[in-house]
Amino acid sequence: MPNNTATKPVVLLAEVLSPATIEALGPDFDVREVDGTDREALFAALADADAVLVRSATRIDAEALAHAPKLKVVARAGVGLDNVDIKAATAAGVMVVNAPTSNIVSAAELTVGHILSLARRIPAAHASLSSGAWKRSSFTGAELFEKTVGIIGLGRIGALVAARLNAFDMRVIAYDPYVTSARAQQLGVQLVTLDELVAESDFITIHMPKTPETTGMIAAEQFAAMKPTAFVVNVARGGLIDEADLHEALVAGEIAGAGLDVFTSEPPAEGSTAQALLGLPNVVVTPHLGASTDEAQEKAGVSVARSVRLALGGDLVPDAVNVAGGVIDPYVRPGIPLVEKLGQIFSALAQSPITSLDVEVHGELNNYDVSVLRLAALKGVFTNIVSETVSYVNAPLLAEQRGIAVRLVQDDISEEYRNVITLRGALSDGSQLAISGTLTGPKQIEKLVAINEHAIELPIEKHHVVMLYTDRPGIVAVYGQKFGDAGINIAGMQIARQAAGAQALSVLTLDSPVSDELLEDVSVAIDADLFRQIEIAEV
């Protein structure tokens, strides 16, 4: 029997992942398994691996990477990347991906669970009752209604927590130096300083990344400023709250209690401050369960499996953390296929080699990171003009090899549309070419809105013909007749001109491609200065 896996890329599963993860990888890979905690076995398995999928137990560091000469991508089925040496992977040319949104709902719900557990003293009441006691008066709690919750960090998880606690009719305030007041208003949140937040809040929950700046950001000074009835919750990262200072504040009664899912060292070491926190009666603890739901684990595995497929296929990987592109905002994402198609149109209309290309982004999009649109433009430009497969990975290299200078140009001005993207390039014959497009309506219809100085508005379809000719009576009848005689249906048409008798630009949408002979016949019949057929490849 032939070996059908010989030419398939090897994907190594270093930890147990859901069946849905393997299903999402599909049949195109040689999927192998290894115990990633067994370093020698891991090193041996990495020798043939094109990709490795891990969770939290497997360390992919410089030593592991040295045993993986073929490795192209490390995929962490989860949010954190503490067990992956990103710097070493980048130096080795290995892409690192994770699943940044897989556990956000689970983490937000666990946060609310901790807040409710603290407010109503649920764990202590459970322990008392299960031991045989019935002490209702010992477990009087507090309502969340009309209390103030302070959220430190209004990112994806913080925003979900805000939405859920708004439903309890709480006053929601937040501290996040990178969030605008307009965004906070959308979330029903009032932005305040950190000092105001700790002083005013009945419940404080932290949702910040762990950095040198945020480590220990809630410490003795903040505890001293809190209400004695305040509760603090951390399901984000161990170390954001100074554990020694927290222990002192709880023992001294400076605050009422704490809910902790994460610790500086996990599991808490014998004799450590973290372990001392576990024994306090006003602390609710869980063993790092933020992502521990069936739904989150499945979403994480499926997400990174899809990223692996994209990475090994040479395509853009939205969740890559160490390559250009990065996480793409949902508002930017619909523009990617539009810009790829504009790139195809640009290269089809260019009458000589491209020497420089500006990717101009005009309008509201400039409130977001649009760097991915530069990659999309290059991929579109080269898709139909080079023999090799073009990807987001090699498109910049193709431009560099051809000496094409590429810039991303941005401004907020877009007079007719909310956003307009223009590809403007210089050609080797000294001419210039500009192609503009936009997305319109609730369905985000991709439209071509300008070619050079000619304004049009035509949905981008698979088959187009572009004609430039001197405007005069009867031209439309000429090419309409010829296409009709050949059985070519014109599904749409736009004509633009500057003045009577000047050059006219006609863009046709056709139901089928046109033969080279018919194109030449029509071009001669109308005495066209430019006549091009554009076939849009699938993106």
Side-chain angles (χ1 to χ4, degrees):
M1 179 180 293
N3 185 357
N4 294 325
T5 66
T7 60
K8 292 182 178 181
V10 174
V11 175
L12 184 64
L13 306 184
E15 298 182 49
V16 177
L17 295 166
S18 70
T21 303
I22 300 172
E23 184 179 345
L25 283 169
D28 301 326
F29 304 104
D30 178 4
V31 179
R32 304 177 185 177
E33 298 181 11
V34 69
D35 178 1
T37 62
D38 182 337
R39 296 287 281 179
E40 293 304 318
L42 174 66
F43 294 164
L46 283 171
D48 297 324
D50 294 276
V52 58
L53 277 69
V54 303
R55 290 179 62 183
S56 57
T58 302
R59 284 187 296 112
I60 302 297
D61 50 18
E63 185 183 20
L65 292 165
H67 288 82
K70 296 175 57 183
L71 196 65
K72 300 177 181 65
V73 58
V74 176
R76 161 74 164 95
V79 178
L81 285 163
D82 298 341
N83 56 319
V84 179
D85 188 332
I86 299 173
K87 185 176 180 180
T90 303
V94 176
M95 182 184 296
V96 178
V97 303
N98 65 345
T101 62
S102 60
N103 75 335
I104 59 174
V105 171
S106 295
E109 291 181 355
L110 181 63
T111 300
V112 176
H114 269 280
I115 290 173
L116 286 168
S117 294
L118 290 166
R120 300 306 300 271
R121 306 185 65 187
I122 295 172
H126 167 82
S128 174
L129 181 58
S130 63
S131 69
W134 184 270
K135 298 180 178 179
R136 293 179 62 194
S137 60
S138 298
F139 301 107
T140 301
E143 293 183 348
L144 301 188
F145 179 67
E146 294 186 341
K147 297 295 193 305
T148 297
V149 60
I151 300 174
I152 302 174
L154 205 56
R156 290 185 292 259
I157 296 174
L160 289 176
V161 172
R164 282 148 180 76
L165 295 180
N166 270 319
F168 283 88
D169 289 324
M170 299 188 78
R171 175 187 176 227
V172 183
I173 61 177
Y175 166 73
D176 192 319
Y178 303 105
V179 169
T180 65
S181 57
R183 170 61 174 161
Q185 189 174 16
Q186 287 177 342
L187 298 171
V189 175
Q190 176 188 351
L191 286 181
V192 296
T193 67
L194 182 59
D195 289 344
E196 291 170 331
L197 184 144
V198 298
E200 297 176 21
S201 298
D202 299 294
F203 297 87
I204 296 170
T205 176
I206 186 166
H207 302 281
M208 298 288 280
K210 188 176 181 180
T211 67
E213 292 75 24
T214 62
T215 298
M217 68 180 297
I218 302 299
E221 180 183 348
Q222 287 71 39
F223 292 127
M226 292 180 191
K227 299 177 181 180
T229 55
F231 296 95
V232 176
V233 173
N234 182 14
V235 303
R237 285 286 181 266
L240 296 178
I241 297 176
D242 186 295
E243 291 174 345
D245 290 351
L246 173 62
H247 185 273
E248 290 185 15
L250 290 166
V251 171
E254 284 188 326
I255 62 173
L260 303 173
D261 183 53
V262 289
F263 303 88
T264 303
S265 62
E266 295 180 354
E270 185 74 26
S272 66
T273 303
Q275 189 183 56
L277 286 167
L278 305 184
L280 296 180
N282 51 349
V283 174
V284 174
V285 291
T286 48
H288 204 147
L289 299 181
S292 295
T293 62
D294 291 337
E295 294 85 353
Q297 293 301 314
E298 183 162 311
K299 282 186 281 189
V302 170
S303 174
V304 295
R306 290 171 178 165
S307 291
V308 166
R309 289 186 63 86
L310 291 171
L312 296 184
D315 288 318
L316 174 71
V317 184
D319 292 328
V321 298
N322 64 338
V323 297
V327 177
I328 303 167
D329 193 278
Y331 192 66
V332 176
R333 190 177 294 275
I336 295 173
L338 167 68
V339 175
E340 279 198 44
K341 292 172 184 177
L342 293 178
Q344 293 185 44
I345 295 170
F346 186 97
S347 58
L349 295 181
Q351 299 188 72
S352 63
I354 305 166
T355 58
S356 68
L357 180 68
D358 285 352
V359 182
E360 301 175 0
V361 182
H362 307 283
E364 296 176 2
L365 273 172
N366 289 290
N367 294 319
Y368 305 85
D369 180 359
V370 294
S371 56
V372 67
L373 299 183
R374 177 181 176 275
L375 294 175
L378 289 175
K379 184 172 185 286
V381 164
F382 290 118
T383 289
N384 295 319
I385 62 174
V386 299
S387 57
E388 59 262 58
T389 300
V390 182
S391 72
Y392 286 95
V393 175
N394 68 1
L397 180 61
L398 293 172
E400 181 180 347
Q401 290 172 341
R402 287 158 177 77
I404 301 173
V406 185
R407 297 191 307 166
L408 181 64
V409 181
Q410 300 174 243
D411 65 53
D412 298 327
I413 301 171
S414 179
E415 296 178 354
E416 295 188 36
Y417 304 94
R418 293 181 67 179
N419 298 290
V420 170
I421 300 167
T422 298
L423 306 190
R424 189 183 309 277
L427 309 181
S428 61
D429 64 1
S431 65
Q432 289 198 338
L433 176 64
I435 308 296
S436 299
T438 192
L439 298 165
T440 63
K443 294 184 178 180
Q444 296 285 274
I445 303 298
E446 299 168 344
K447 288 187 178 180
L448 180 65
V449 297
I451 297 177
N452 289 330
E453 72 275 14
H454 297 282
I456 55 176
E457 186 173 330
L458 190 74
I460 299 175
E461 302 291 353
K462 184 173 178 58
H463 309 289
H464 293 287
V465 165
V466 177
M467 300 174 276
L468 187 66
Y469 52 87
T470 301
D471 188 37
R472 56 195 187 277
I475 294 294
V476 174
V478 171
Y479 62 69
Q481 183 69 44
K482 287 186 174 293
F483 283 133
D485 291 343
I488 304 295
N489 185 56
I490 299 174
M493 179 171 64
Q494 280 271 292
I495 299 175
R497 66 178 187 177
Q498 301 300 310
Q503 279 195 320
L505 178 82
S506 182
V507 183
L508 309 183
T509 302
L510 307 178
D511 284 347
S512 57
V514 180
S515 67
D516 291 340
E517 293 78 8
L518 179 57
L519 290 172
E520 178 65 22
D521 183 26
V522 178
S523 178
V524 171
I526 66 172
D527 192 21
D529 297 303
L530 172 70
F531 201 100
R532 290 283 192 279
Q533 177 167 227
I534 300 172
E535 293 290 293
I536 302 294
E538 185 176 347
V539 299

